[in-house]
Amino acid sequence: MDELKSRIRKDGTVINSEILKVDRFLNHQIDPQLMKAIGKAFAIHFQNAGITKVLTIESSGIAPALMTGLEMNVPVLFARKKKSLTINEDSLTTDVYSFTKKVHNTVLLEKDTIIKEDHVLIIDDFLANGEAALGLTRLVELAGAAVSGIGIVIEKSFQQGRGRLDRAGYAVYSLARIASLNDHHVQFLD
C-alpha cells in the first residue's frame, strides 16, 4: 500500500533496529483518511473469505479494525487487556507478550461475542514476533470459530512473527512489509 509506505517514510521514526514509532498517524494520533484506506485495502483483500466478525486487541488495532469492519459491514470486537466489572467470569482468556512494552498481558474476550459459526478476520497494527496475533487466534479457536485471515498494517519481516503465522497455516496479508530498520532507515521488503 503506497500511501501507507509514504506515511511511514515521512512521519515514522526509527527508534532502533527493532522499533518503529508511528504515533503521528497510526497509534497515538490517528489519520482517519489513512485508516479509511487501510480498512478498504483489507476489505478488498479478504472480500471472498466469508468474514462475519473482525477482531483486534486494544488499543492500537482498534482504528484499522473499525475501518475494516465498516468496509465489510461486520461487527468489530477487541480483546481487552484489563478486566472490567461488566465482563463475565467465564470469558475467553489467553496470555500475550508485548514486544514493545516487554510485559505479559492476560487478554480477554466475552465468551458469547464469537460463536462457532463465525469466520473471523484478525487485524493488528504491527507484526513483530506474532504474539498478539497468535493470542487472538487462540481466543477465536477457544470459541470454536474459524480464523479466516490475519491483516497486519505494518509487518517487521525481519522478526519471527510472519514465519510463526505462516507455519501455523494462517492466511496473512500485510499492507507494509519492512525488511530492515538498520541505520535509522526504513527499508521495505517489496
Side-chain angles (χ1 to χ4, degrees), residues 56-72:
T56 192
I57 194 166
E58 68 175 346
S59 65
S60 298
I62 293 174
L66 182 62
M67 292 303 197
T68 303
L70 184 64
E71 285 289 328
M72 299 185 95

Side-chain angles (χ1 to χ4, degrees), residues 57-103:
I57 194 166
E58 68 175 346
S59 65
S60 298
I62 293 174
L66 182 62
M67 292 303 197
T68 303
L70 184 64
E71 285 289 328
M72 299 185 95
N73 197 30
V74 298
V76 177
L77 306 167
F78 65 91
R80 294 180 177 267
K81 294 178 185 172
K82 292 190 181 339
K83 186 174 182 189
S84 78
L85 294 174
T86 61
I87 293 190
N88 294 325
E89 290 299 318
D90 64 343
S91 297
L92 305 170
T93 63
T94 191
D95 188 57
V96 172
Y97 179 74
S98 170
F99 176 79
T100 52
K101 295 178 183 152
K102 307 286 186 217
V103 296

Side-chain angles (χ1 to χ4, degrees), residues 28 69 85 89 101 108 154 166 188-189:
H28 188 69
L85 294 174
E89 290 299 318
K101 295 178 183 152
L108 51 110
I154 301 171
D166 285 345
F188 291 102
L189 192 61

Side-chain angles (χ1 to χ4, degrees), residues 12-23 181 184-186:
T13 303
V14 178
I15 303 296
N16 58 40
S17 64
E18 294 184 335
I19 306 279
L20 173 66
K21 185 176 179 181
V22 290
D23 65 344
L181 295 174
H184 287 67
H185 174 73
V186 177

